[in-house]
Amino acid sequence: MKELNEVWPIFGLVLTTPRLILRPITDADIPPAVDAARSGIYEPGMNPFSTAWAELPKAELGASMAQRFWRARAEATPASWKLLLGVWQERDFVGCQNLGARDFAVLKTVKTASWLTRSRQGEGLGKEMRAAAACYAFDWMHAEVSESEAMSWNAASLGVSRSLGYEPNGVERVSWDARREEIQRTRLTPGTFKRPDWRLQVTGHAAVADFLDISL
């Protein structure tokens, strides 16, 4: 009988940093992911996302998150993909680091987004998981650009971007969740990337690259 990783190669990907393990979320990981989100991601009234998904009633949040994870799998093709990587510190699920792209073969550009439970914020984990995504994108996927964005008031996220070498890439006024916000877009390249003093460990990349038609 085939292993699940053989059927869905993305599940075999594992990124390891000094303190964290990042890997695609399987169905067995959905309950701890939901529990982590329910424990709190941001202070009340300070939603940093385009929709207030983390504020859904407990009865709805789990189903909504599961649908998001399943949708990312179902829609993954070489032309458009999103890796939803769960983040573990030892045995604890502490957040999610997303890495996605459209027309990657032509644009060589990825976009990142992430969240971290409030109980683990302020420890440098947000920077470590974003650095892992950048290392993987540049060194393994051969991306040429990594883009991110945050609301103009989100000092923590923008601080992580600056610390890693992201440069401002324009401000846009948007309507997010029926409210007006200004979004600061940022851009990172291999030349501006302030690399961490550790080396990312990666397993399972060859199968992912083959599945997404990314040149090794």
Side-chain angles (χ1 to χ4, degrees):
M1 181 180 295
K2 288 183 177 293
E3 296 291 331
L4 184 57
N5 293 354
E6 297 179 81
V7 177
W8 192 249
I10 290 175
F11 282 151
L13 180 66
V14 181
L15 312 183
T16 305
T17 73
R19 294 185 292 175
L20 304 172
I21 292 177
L22 293 78
R23 57 177 174 79
I25 295 172
T26 67
D27 282 1
D29 301 323
I30 294 177
V34 173
D35 287 342
R38 284 176 175 167
S39 73
I41 300 173
Y42 51 83
E43 295 181 11
M46 299 294 289
N47 172 37
F49 307 123
S50 59
T51 62
W53 62 267
E55 298 178 16
L56 288 172
K58 288 186 176 182
E60 299 177 25
L61 179 60
S64 176
M65 291 181 66
Q67 287 175 323
R68 188 179 306 118
F69 298 143
W70 293 331
R71 187 179 303 115
R73 298 176 203 163
E75 295 178 352
T77 68
S80 177
W81 48 266
K82 183 180 293 184
L83 304 180
L84 304 187
L85 304 176
V87 182
W88 282 261
Q89 185 179 31
E90 297 180 348
R91 296 184 178 182
D92 296 332
F93 188 104
V94 298
C96 189
Q97 175 67 61
N98 301 342
L99 178 69
R102 289 182 181 275
D103 298 321
F104 182 78
V106 176
L107 302 177
K108 299 296 183 183
T109 299
V110 298
K111 296 181 183 293
T112 64
S114 62
W115 60 265
L116 184 67
T117 59
R118 286 182 65 187
S119 63
R120 300 303 174 88
Q121 293 174 16
E123 301 175 15
L125 299 184
K127 179 178 178 179
E128 191 166 324
M129 52 202 260
R130 183 103 70 88
C135 287
Y136 181 59
F138 292 147
D139 299 341
W140 296 79
M141 292 185 150
H142 310 300
E144 297 173 4
V145 178
S146 179
E147 296 177 337
S148 185
E149 63 185 27
M151 293 181 185
S152 59
W153 53 259
N154 193 342
S157 179
L158 294 174
V160 167
S161 295
R162 285 193 299 272
S163 70
L164 290 174
Y166 284 79
E167 298 177 334
N169 194 33
V171 175
E172 181 181 2
R173 180 174 288 185
V174 298
S175 176
W176 274 8
D177 206 26
R179 68 188 190 279
R180 186 176 68 194
E181 296 285 355
E182 286 196 344
I183 302 301
Q184 174 67 63
R185 304 192 186 282
T186 58
R187 185 175 189 268
L188 184 70
T189 66
T192 62
F193 184 25
K194 297 178 181 178
R195 290 180 171 274
D197 59 4
W198 43 264
R199 184 173 181 178
L200 181 69
Q201 302 297 315
V202 178
T203 59
H205 172 68
V208 173
D210 184 61
F211 182 73
L212 297 177
D213 198 21
I214 295 173
S215 299
L216 292 173

